[in-house]
Amino acid sequence: MLDESKFDVQLQLWALRVPRELCKVATRVLNGYLIDRPRIKPITEDPTSEKNRYMILSERVQNPDLSDIPSQKLDELKKLCEIDVVPYLLKLGYPYWGADHVLKQILPPGLEVPSSFETIVKYFYLCHIAHLNISDELLPYKDVIAKVIYDKNYPRIQTVVNKVGSIANEFRVPKFEVLAGKTDMVTEVKQYKATFKLDYGLVYWNSRLEHEHIRLVSQFQAGETICDMFAGIGPFAIPAAQKGCQVYANDLNPDSIHYLKINAEINKVNDHVCVYNMDARKFVSQLMAVPSCEINSESGVLVLDSSEKCGVQPVDLPPAYWGISKNYMAVKAPGDNLSIVEGDKSSCINFEANIAPAKRRSESCEGEDVSVDVVSKAKGGANKRMKGSVSFNSRPWEHVDHVIMNLPASALQFLDSFRGTIQRRYWKGPLPWIHCYCFIRASETREFIISEAEAALNARIKDPIFHRVRDVAPNKAMFCLSFRLPEEACFNEDGAENIHDSADKH
C-alpha cells in the first residue's frame, strides 16, 4: 500500500499583509519575488482580516527584513502601504505532487519511471482508459504505478489497464488486466470528425494512428469504392463513408463487426458501408466474384441462389441494387425499408434508407453503376436527403478504387488473395490501389518488403510508395506500402469458369 503521508512537505515562508485593493499593483511591483509553484496561488486570504490579503513570498526570500528584495522595489512598495511581514507555513501533501515526482520517490533508483501512456477517451461520460505497457522490471510495482496514475488523473482517467503478454490470438486483440478504477472498458472515441464506440478489451484500437487514418482517407474521393480487408471497428471505413465513398468493410473478429455496425449507425453512414465477418481471403474472393443472376427485364426481380438457403423469397429491388452479389438477398423490413441479408451467415445488414427511383442503364448483370439519391429517415419520421445525388458502385467485381490492408503483422501474406480473382471481361477502369501496412525491422530493407509482396502476388510491383507511419519499438517501424495492383497478378482470363454458379463455391 502507498503511504501518502511520506509526501507531506512543510515550507516555512514569509508573506506580506497588504490591503486587498492594492494587491494588483503590489503584484506588479513584486514580480519575480512571489512564490511560483504549480497550482499555488501567490495571493491568499488573511485569516485575521477580510480587508487584507497575504502575498506569499518566494522561497528565496529568507529574511524577515526583506533584504533579499531590491531596495528600489521595497521603496516603491512602501509608497503604496505600510509593509507588514508575517510568517507563513505552506503545507504540500500527496494530492499536490505530480505522478512523476511521486513515482520517482517510490521506485528503486535506476528504474525508469513510466513517462507516457495511451489514453482512450470517452468524451460523453468521462470514462477515460489509460493503457500502460509496464516493463518486466516494473511489474512488481504495477499496482502502485496504476494507483498513482489513477489518483493524479481522476476524473479524466477512470480506468488503468496493463497489456498482458504478447498479441497471440487470431483477432490481434491485446489482453489487458485492470489495475485501477472501473472494470467496464466500453468507451467512445472521437477521431476525424467521427465517433467510435468500442470495448477496449474485445477489439483493437490505437489512438496513435489518428494521423495515419486522416492521411490515407484524404486520398479518397467521393463516389469511390473502398475495400477494407481488416476494418476493425471502422477507423478507415467510417471516415471514408463520411466522405461519400462506398465501403466494403470486413473483419474476422465478430466483436469488431458488432461495433463497426454500431459506429456506422452512430455516424449515419450505414447506407455507405457493407459489412462482412469472415476470413480476409474469402472476403476478397467473394467480393470479386461475378454473381450468377437472372434479371426479369420487366419487373426487375433479382433471382439469387442464396434465397433458398435463407428461406426468404426475393422481392422487387430498386434499380440501385440490380446486379448485387449473389451472397445477399433482399427482404422487406418493417416500414417498407430494405434489408440485405448475408446468405452464408444469415446476418442482416440493414440499409435503413429508401432509394429513390433511378433509370436502369443496362438490362444485364454487366450494367454500369447507377446514380441514386440516398434518403434516410430523420427524427420524427421525416425523410431527409443526404449527400445529394451520388453514383455508387454496387458491383465491386467491376471496379474497386482502393484496398486497405491494415494488419501490419501479417498483411503481406494476404496479398495472395488477389491472384486470379478479377475477371477481365467484367472489370472496368484502372486496377485498385493497394495500401498494405507492414513492420520493417532495423535489419530489413524496403527492397526486402517489396520482394515479399511480389512473391505473394507472383507479380512485379511498379512504382511502390513507402510511408513511414510510426516507430513501434527502438528497432521496428510501421510502414504503409502503396502500389497499383499489377495486372499479371489479378486478372483471370477465363471468366466463365469462375463466375459463381452456386453458393457451394464458397
Side-chain angles (χ1 to χ4, degrees), residues 271-272 353-355 372-376 384-386 388 392:
D271 299 317
H272 300 256
N354 296 321
I355 307 298
V372 299
D373 289 332
V374 180
V375 183
S376 68
K384 181 178 180 182
R385 188 173 303 276
M386 296 179 61
F392 289 112

Side-chain angles (χ1 to χ4, degrees), residues 127 129 159 161 176 178 182-187 198-201:
C127 183
I129 301 171
T159 302
V161 301
F176 297 105
V178 177
K182 300 178 181 179
T183 58
D184 181 14
M185 296 176 68
V186 176
T187 187
L198 61 110
D199 187 324
Y200 197 55

Side-chain angles (χ1 to χ4, degrees), residues 112 440-443 468 470-479:
E112 184 178 356
I440 301 182
R441 293 169 175 80
S443 59
R468 191 186 192 99
R470 70 185 190 98
D471 293 335
V472 297
N475 296 309
K476 184 179 178 182
M478 178 179 174
F479 281 81

Side-chain angles (χ1 to χ4, degrees), residues 423-491:
Q423 320 270 335
R424 186 185 292 273
R425 59 179 290 194
Y426 293 98
W427 190 261
K428 301 176 180 178
L431 288 166
W433 276 95
I434 306 297
H435 307 283
C436 182
Y437 289 86
C438 59
F439 292 129
I440 301 182
R441 293 169 175 80
S443 59
E444 298 172 335
T445 64
R446 297 184 180 187
E447 289 72 21
F448 169 76
I449 297 300
I450 293 174
S451 67
E452 291 286 297
E454 290 179 339
L457 289 167
N458 195 27
R460 183 174 178 79
I461 295 174
K462 297 180 180 179
D463 303 321
I465 300 173
F466 277 94
H467 172 75
R468 191 186 192 99
V469 178
R470 70 185 190 98
D471 293 335
V472 297
N475 296 309
K476 184 179 178 182
M478 178 179 174
F479 281 81
C480 177
L481 168 61
S482 298
F483 59 91
R484 182 79 71 176
L485 187 64
E487 288 190 13
E488 60 269 28
C490 59
F491 275 134

Side-chain angles (χ1 to χ4, degrees), residues 335-348:
D336 292 332
N337 289 331
L338 286 171
S339 290
I340 306 301
V341 182
E342 190 175 356
D344 62 347
K345 295 234 178 222
S346 297
S347 63
C348 293

Side-chain angles (χ1 to χ4, degrees), residues 8 71 85 119 122 169-170 177 220 248 280 416 480:
D8 292 342
S71 58
V85 182
T119 55
K122 186 168 188 177
N169 59 74
E170 61 178 340
E177 58 177 342
F220 304 160
Y248 294 89
D416 62 1
C480 177

Side-chain angles (χ1 to χ4, degrees), residues 3 24 33-34 74 105 148 169 186 196 213 287 289-290 302-303 308 316 339 355 389 397 434 451 468 485:
D3 184 0
K24 186 175 182 179
Y33 293 91
L34 296 176
L74 291 177
Q105 306 301 316
V148 172
N169 59 74
V186 176
F196 297 95
H213 300 152
L287 208 62
V290 180
L302 176 62
V303 180
E308 296 181 0
D316 288 358
S339 290
I355 307 298
S389 181
W397 59 88
I434 306 297
S451 67
R468 191 186 192 99
L485 187 64

Side-chain angles (χ1 to χ4, degrees), residues 285-314:
S285 176
Q286 178 170 305
L287 208 62
M288 294 295 106
V290 180
S292 172
C293 61
E294 295 179 2
I295 299 179
N296 185 316
S297 60
E298 295 182 357
S299 65
V301 174
L302 176 62
V303 180
L304 301 174
D305 293 346
S306 58
S307 60
E308 296 181 0
K309 293 177 62 178
C310 294
V312 184
Q313 295 300 318

